[in-house]
Amino acid sequence: MPSNKHRNRGSKINDDTMMPPNKQNTPSLEYEDDEIEEMQDTDFKKFMIRTFRSFQKQILELQKTLMDKIENLSRENEILRKSQNETQKLVEQESVIVKRNQNEMKSSIDQMTNTLESLKNRMGEAEERISDLEDRAQENIQSNQRKEEEIRNLKNIVGNLQDTIKKTNIRVLGVPEGMEREKGLEGLFSEILAENFPGLEKDRDILVQEAHRTPNKHDQKRSSPRHVVIKLTTVKHKEKILKCAREKRQITLRGSPIRLTADFSSETLQARREWRDIAQVLREKNCQPRILYPAKLSFVNEGEIKTFHSKQKLKDFVATRPALQKILKDVLHSETQKHGHQYERRERK
């Protein structure tokens, strides 16, 4: 019985040793102490050998498992180390790139700062130049204004000199070309006086100093005859003849209508022409307008005779007279527009 029992136990031991380590519950075989005591030496040795081998096998397997784990850990550690090295390299590369970018940014900022400083300096220089140019332009404007004023003054002086020279002149308009061949221009003027002012023709004090046509050369393309300029010896005689002409109104030479007028410089003639539209409106309102020597406008307003040397003076006066302002509103407005267009044309030139 004990031997059978021992065999059964031995078979149990064999079964246990044949099981894989992961299926064994414990590294020691499950024998009771009394069962072990009943074993013979041979069986006990076998038992111990099997037990040892089992333990050895388990230890080897455990060792292998540990070695596998160590190897895995080593591989993972190597991977981590490589990854760490790569990461470190990347960090170093990124650090180099960041540092280089920082240097480039700093260099760019320095360049921009220098550029801005240069631009600031240039702007300062440009502002100074612009200021200098503005000052020069203002000086040129003032200089041009002074020159224009001097030119106007010179023109006025020349015009006044011409008017002084022509102060005793009478200009005759409408005398046909060639009529003077028979008697000459002086004889024609005597004929005009005799035909229109019989009393003046007998006045021996009225003497003709000089007579000529203007311009000197006759333009064949010109349809109207040249004017005849009669220079008398005194202004008194000229004014007397012109007064008689204004009173008679219709002046003729051999039945054909002609005109007698004072002889002025071109500037004075232009200034007198500029009063014509205004004088016409005043004449229609029975204000008795007259264009006085050399280019002054005179008319009656509210029972008083008013005289003006310039249109600006007239405008200032009209602004204080509502009734007169109503009369001259349209003509003064048209005059302002005309002068504005003339100014624009001069600016374009």
Side-chain angles (χ1 to χ4, degrees), residues 161-173:
L161 288 173
Q162 290 179 346
D163 290 335
T164 301
I165 294 171
K166 297 180 178 183
K167 200 168 185 178
T168 59
N169 292 359
I170 292 178
R171 187 175 287 248
V172 184
L173 288 68

Side-chain angles (χ1 to χ4, degrees), residues 63-230:
Q63 185 180 7
K64 183 180 178 182
T65 302
L66 289 174
M67 291 301 294
D68 291 340
K69 289 184 178 180
I70 290 171
E71 186 177 356
N72 290 334
L73 288 174
S74 297
R75 284 197 300 269
E76 291 177 358
N77 187 35
E78 183 67 20
I79 292 171
L80 287 174
R81 188 180 63 79
K82 290 181 179 180
S83 177
Q84 184 178 4
N85 292 335
E86 291 177 356
T87 303
Q88 186 176 359
K89 288 180 181 179
L90 289 174
V91 170
E92 291 176 354
Q93 291 176 358
E94 291 295 329
S95 299
V96 171
I97 293 173
V98 169
K99 188 174 181 180
R100 185 169 63 248
N101 291 337
Q102 287 179 344
N103 292 332
E104 291 177 355
M105 289 179 64
K106 184 178 179 181
S107 177
S108 298
I109 291 172
D110 292 339
Q111 290 178 359
M112 291 176 65
T113 303
N114 295 332
T115 302
L116 289 174
E117 188 67 25
S118 177
L119 288 174
K120 185 177 179 181
N121 294 332
R122 291 181 181 179
M123 287 178 64
E125 294 175 358
E127 289 176 355
E128 291 180 359
R129 291 179 182 177
I130 291 172
S131 179
D132 292 340
L133 290 174
E134 289 177 348
D135 293 340
R136 292 179 184 178
Q138 186 63 30
E139 291 176 358
N140 290 334
I141 291 173
Q142 294 176 354
S143 177
N144 291 335
Q145 289 176 347
R146 288 193 297 269
K147 289 179 180 179
E148 289 177 358
E149 184 66 24
E150 291 175 358
I151 290 172
R152 283 195 295 269
N153 292 334
L154 289 174
K155 286 183 177 180
N156 290 333
I157 292 171
V158 172
N160 291 333
L161 288 173
Q162 290 179 346
D163 290 335
T164 301
I165 294 171
K166 297 180 178 183
K167 200 168 185 178
T168 59
N169 292 359
I170 292 178
R171 187 175 287 248
V172 184
L173 288 68
V175 178
E177 293 284 345
M179 187 177 284
E180 65 271 21
R181 293 195 188 105
E182 299 177 4
K183 299 181 179 180
L185 294 174
E186 295 180 7
L188 285 179
F189 185 67
S190 298
E191 188 175 343
I192 292 170
L193 295 181
E195 184 174 336
N196 295 277
F197 319 114
L200 291 180
E201 194 271 337
K202 296 178 182 180
D203 190 346
R204 300 299 178 182
D205 293 334
I206 299 177
L207 300 176
V208 176
Q209 186 174 351
E210 182 185 345
H212 64 274
R213 283 190 181 269
T214 183
N216 293 327
K217 293 183 178 181
H218 177 53
D219 187 358
Q220 299 295 333
K221 296 180 182 180
R222 182 174 177 176
S223 59
S224 59
R226 292 174 294 168
H227 296 178
V228 176
V229 177
I230 305 296

Side-chain angles (χ1 to χ4, degrees), residues 139-334:
E139 291 176 358
N140 290 334
I141 291 173
Q142 294 176 354
S143 177
N144 291 335
Q145 289 176 347
R146 288 193 297 269
K147 289 179 180 179
E148 289 177 358
E149 184 66 24
E150 291 175 358
I151 290 172
R152 283 195 295 269
N153 292 334
L154 289 174
K155 286 183 177 180
N156 290 333
I157 292 171
V158 172
N160 291 333
L161 288 173
Q162 290 179 346
D163 290 335
T164 301
I165 294 171
K166 297 180 178 183
K167 200 168 185 178
T168 59
N169 292 359
I170 292 178
R171 187 175 287 248
V172 184
L173 288 68
V175 178
E177 293 284 345
M179 187 177 284
E180 65 271 21
R181 293 195 188 105
E182 299 177 4
K183 299 181 179 180
L185 294 174
E186 295 180 7
L188 285 179
F189 185 67
S190 298
E191 188 175 343
I192 292 170
L193 295 181
E195 184 174 336
N196 295 277
F197 319 114
L200 291 180
E201 194 271 337
K202 296 178 182 180
D203 190 346
R204 300 299 178 182
D205 293 334
I206 299 177
L207 300 176
V208 176
Q209 186 174 351
E210 182 185 345
H212 64 274
R213 283 190 181 269
T214 183
N216 293 327
K217 293 183 178 181
H218 177 53
D219 187 358
Q220 299 295 333
K221 296 180 182 180
R222 182 174 177 176
S223 59
S224 59
R226 292 174 294 168
H227 296 178
V228 176
V229 177
I230 305 296
K231 186 175 182 63
L232 302 176
T233 55
T234 64
V235 176
K236 178 181 177 181
H237 294 152
K238 182 197 79 169
E239 294 293 341
K240 190 174 182 179
I241 293 171
L242 293 178
K243 181 180 179 181
C244 292
R246 285 193 297 269
E247 292 174 351
K248 190 173 186 299
R249 293 189 178 181
Q250 184 67 35
I251 310 298
T252 60
L253 174 60
R254 299 178 185 177
S256 299
I258 60 171
R259 286 178 56 199
L260 297 183
T261 181
D263 187 26
F264 298 105
S265 64
S266 58
E267 290 79 9
T268 302
L269 284 173
Q270 180 60 34
R272 291 173 69 89
R273 290 191 192 101
E274 291 179 357
W275 288 118
R276 286 182 182 176
D277 294 339
I278 298 174
Q280 181 62 31
V281 173
L282 293 172
R283 190 173 293 108
E284 292 173 356
K285 299 299 181 179
N286 198 26
C287 293
Q288 303 175 23
R290 289 184 60 193
I291 299 177
L292 304 179
Y293 180 87
K296 296 181 289 185
L297 177 67
S298 173
F299 62 91
V300 177
N301 179 252
E302 297 180 357
E304 297 181 359
I305 299 176
K306 301 293 182 180
T307 304
F308 300 95
H309 297 79
S310 67
K311 288 185 179 179
Q312 187 59 48
K313 296 289 185 182
L314 175 62
K315 290 178 181 178
D316 295 340
F317 176 77
V318 168
T320 63
R321 299 292 191 275
L324 187 60
Q325 186 176 14
K326 185 177 180 180
I327 293 172
L328 297 176
K329 179 180 178 180
D330 294 337
V331 67
L332 288 177
H333 180 68
S334 62

Side-chain angles (χ1 to χ4, degrees), residues 25-45:
N25 295 326
T26 176
S28 63
L29 298 176
E30 295 180 357
Y31 286 96
E32 298 295 334
D33 292 339
D34 55 350
E35 292 178 346
I36 295 174
E37 288 178 357
E38 293 177 358
M39 291 181 181
Q40 294 180 3
D41 293 338
T42 305
D43 294 333
F44 182 73
K45 287 180 180 179

